[in-house]
Amino acid sequence: MDLLGLKLDVLIADEVLGFSSLAIPTAMVAQDSGVLFGHQVVRDLFGAVPHASTQWPEKVYVSRSKLDLRDGGLLLESRIEQLMEIEGYFIFHPQEYSMQDQADIYRAAKALVFADGSAFHYYVPFSRKEQKVFVIWRRRMNHLFSWQAKTFDGPPIQGKPCLNAIYGTELDRHRQLVGARGLVDFPALHAQLHSGGFVGAASWGDAPKTQIEAELGRLTQIKAAPVVDLKVDL
């Protein structure tokens, strides 16, 4: 709130209160998702966030690999990180940085590759049309990402799902795959990234079967339930 210049005195009610009248403003978010969109008031708020003097990398990979493994994500994301690092990308874990640093990193980048996740929604208000942005999808494509970027006049979002499988528990299946993990087709992902000018020509091989099995074993232990290929229509 301070970063947005909203220096507010907040009163927390710790008892039941009654009101003679109550004004509830309309939320400036998409009603079905709660995601910010490019209303002029929102643009003004985020546009007023100061720029720090720190120099940040031009190529950024926004990772989910350090989040709780019970949350959804990409299977073997550490392998994706290694490959992106070879391509000169800064591996960025947003939760380890201040909101100010996150804003500056997003504004400074020329090329950003996101692991499909909520970090994208904080990036968009700071996006620039000339940036190149790619999303590695862990489930089906979420068109909310492109819609949100358009409302801020941001760049087009590149990337289509290229998954070999989606792994999870039966609970994950019934929770719209929120906690499931997608296994990318590494050669296909490289082809998309290369076509978009994000990485070089050196192709990526498939993930070794032993690595996949080891990661699935780790997930099974953490989730305390069998982790299987959910046979989702990809």
Side-chain angles (χ1 to χ4, degrees):
M1 299 292 278
D2 287 346
L3 190 66
L4 294 174
L6 303 176
K7 311 281 187 183
L8 304 176
D9 291 326
V10 178
L11 175 64
I12 299 176
D14 57 4
E15 59 186 63
V16 176
L17 301 178
F19 301 91
S20 58
S21 62
L22 185 63
I24 304 176
T26 301
M28 287 180 287
V29 296
Q31 292 186 357
D32 58 343
S33 64
V35 170
L36 283 173
F37 66 92
H39 189 287
Q40 191 57 52
V41 172
V42 177
R43 291 186 184 217
D44 291 344
L45 278 173
F46 282 87
V49 171
H51 291 250
S53 58
T54 307
Q55 296 295 310
W56 293 105
E58 294 184 353
K59 297 165 69 175
V60 177
Y61 175 74
V62 185
S63 173
R64 290 176 59 86
S65 69
K66 291 187 179 181
L67 300 182
D68 194 317
L69 284 179
R70 286 167 290 196
D71 296 333
L74 297 166
L75 197 75
L76 296 180
E77 188 176 3
S78 59
R79 187 170 191 264
I80 296 174
E81 289 177 344
Q82 291 168 4
L83 292 165
M84 295 301 287
E85 223 167 4
I86 292 170
E87 297 286 346
Y89 280 78
F90 168 57
I91 308 303
F92 176 45
H93 300 276
Q95 72 276 12
E96 297 180 346
Y97 293 79
S98 70
M99 302 301 279
Q100 176 70 65
D101 283 348
Q102 291 181 48
D104 289 326
I105 287 168
Y106 291 143
R107 286 187 290 211
K110 292 184 177 179
L112 297 112
V113 177
F114 284 82
D116 167 14
S118 58
F120 179 87
H121 301 304
Y122 185 60
Y123 151 72
V124 173
F126 303 106
S127 63
R128 294 181 288 106
K129 200 171 189 65
E130 63 270 22
Q131 290 174 315
K132 292 198 307 180
V133 179
F134 190 103
V135 175
I136 303 176
W137 300 101
R138 69 180 196 262
R139 296 174 289 179
R140 296 184 183 93
M141 184 183 295
N142 187 343
H143 294 286
L144 178 66
F145 285 46
S146 291
W147 171 83
Q148 186 192 23
K150 285 180 182 177
T151 70
F152 284 94
D153 296 325
I157 309 306
Q158 300 186 50
K160 295 180 180 179
C162 52
L163 300 169
N164 282 333
I166 296 180
Y167 291 97
T169 64
E170 286 305 312
L171 179 60
D172 294 326
R173 186 196 301 278
H174 296 299
R175 294 179 61 239
Q176 297 182 315
L177 307 178
V178 170
R181 293 196 164 251
L183 174 63
V184 301
D185 179 327
F186 280 86
L189 175 59
H190 171 268
Q192 286 193 39
L193 288 166
H194 177 57
S195 176
F198 290 88
V199 301
S203 61
W204 296 354
D206 283 318
K209 188 176 180 180
T210 53
Q211 285 187 16
I212 297 171
E213 291 173 346
E215 187 73 357
L216 291 176
R218 195 156 67 104
L219 281 176
T220 296
Q221 188 174 28
I222 289 171
K223 287 175 173 281
V227 173
V228 298
D229 182 350
L230 295 175
K231 304 296 183 184
V232 176
D233 181 11
L234 303 174

